[in-house]
Amino acid sequence: MVSIKTQKKGIILLGSANSRGETFQVAHHVSLATGFPIIDLKTKSIGAFDYEFKNQGDDFLPLIKAIVANYELIVFATPVYWYTMSGILKTFFDRLSDCLMIEKATGRKLRGMEMAVLSCGADRELKAGFHMPFRETANYLGMPYLGEVHTWLEKEKIPASVENNLQEFLKQICSKT
Ligand SMILES: Cc1cc2nc3c(=O)[nH]c(=O)nc-3n(C[C@H](O)[C@H](O)[C@H](O)COP(=O)(O)O)c2cc1C
């Protein structure tokens, strides 16, 4: 992977059930190329959305506040589990609702932050609609959606075709908008 010069402050949010699995391997590649740090959501204690906000003391609010304060781009890195994003990442998405209800100042700061998506699956193609929740959430929150890349490993390595797609993805997300 050729590293890419970027002034952009990006963060990779890893939503895999395996902290050192295949999605991590690809995310790590992107991290090395861009300098974007990886936050492993599996290491965080983030409860399911709760209408009574009983879990507002968990790791979600400090994490999202730190992200909006320090970064301008979020790359969501998710494995494909049953044709969609991982449960860990979906829980994070559900909790974004906290930012519209009890943490509105943070919600306002999400507006204008950029979003991109990296998926990793066994299959080389995603089913139609995989990116819809990302695009629509970005649209709803006022976050420019910069693009997406789908990846897979072959014999535990990133194949050349995927590496090419990753390079294109990086150009797309690292250029100033
Ligand atoms: C619960 C589960 C569901 C999966 N569902 C799909 C799927 O729908 N489509 C697919 O292409 N791969 C599917 N896979 C394979 C993973 O997406 C693939 O192995 C991926 O690289 C795993 O990344 P990880 O090591 O970060 O978990 C599934 C794997 C698991 C564990």
Side-chain angles (χ1 to χ4, degrees):
M1 160 85 52
V2 182
S3 70
I4 188 153
K5 278 205 173 69
T6 179
Q7 301 298 316
K8 207 175 259 185
K9 291 195 76 184
I11 185 90
I12 301 168
L13 287 193
L14 176 66
S16 177
N18 184 348
S19 293
R20 289 292 177 271
E22 300 194 330
T23 312
F24 168 78
Q25 202 171 314
V26 182
H28 184 58
H29 216 65
V30 169
S31 175
L32 288 178
T34 55
F36 297 169
I38 297 174
I39 293 180
D40 179 5
L41 291 176
K42 190 175 158 68
T43 66
K44 304 284 176 190
S45 168
I46 297 179
F49 173 77
D50 181 70
Y51 278 104
E52 291 168 348
F53 308 103
K54 285 186 178 152
N55 48 28
Q56 62 183 282
D58 71 12
D59 290 341
F60 177 75
L61 290 177
L63 175 61
I64 193 71
K65 282 184 191 174
I67 290 171
V68 299
N70 295 297
Y71 298 98
E72 50 191 323
L73 160 67
I74 305 175
V75 180
F76 290 106
T78 182
V80 182
Y81 291 160
W82 293 105
Y83 315 105
T84 188
M85 72 174 85
S86 67
I88 290 175
L89 188 55
K90 179 60 165 60
T91 296
F92 181 89
F93 267 67
D94 286 358
R95 291 295 297 280
L96 289 172
S97 303
D98 288 19
C99 299
L100 306 174
M101 295 171 171
I102 52 164
E103 195 51 49
K104 292 185 183 174
T106 303
R108 281 191 288 275
K109 288 182 193 153
L110 274 170
R111 180 168 285 278
M113 279 196 78
E114 297 169 334
M115 185 194 294
V117 176
L118 183 171
S119 53
C120 181
D123 296 341
R124 294 174 187 203
E125 282 183 17
L126 295 166
K127 297 292 181 194
F130 180 89
H131 295 109
M132 180 275 285
F134 297 98
R135 290 173 173 272
E136 294 299 334
T137 302
N139 187 34
Y140 190 86
L141 295 174
M143 300 175 69
Y145 185 82
L146 300 188
E148 60 226 7
V149 66
H150 179 59
T151 67
W152 60 92
L153 297 192
E154 288 172 17
K155 294 182 186 151
E156 301 178 6
K157 292 213 162 68
I158 298 173
S161 60
V162 169
E163 196 160 327
N164 289 340
N165 295 343
L166 282 168
Q167 282 297 345
E168 284 309 307
F169 174 69
L170 292 184
K171 277 188 222 155
Q172 211 176 327
I173 67 170
C174 288
S175 59
K176 278 281 174 194
T177 45

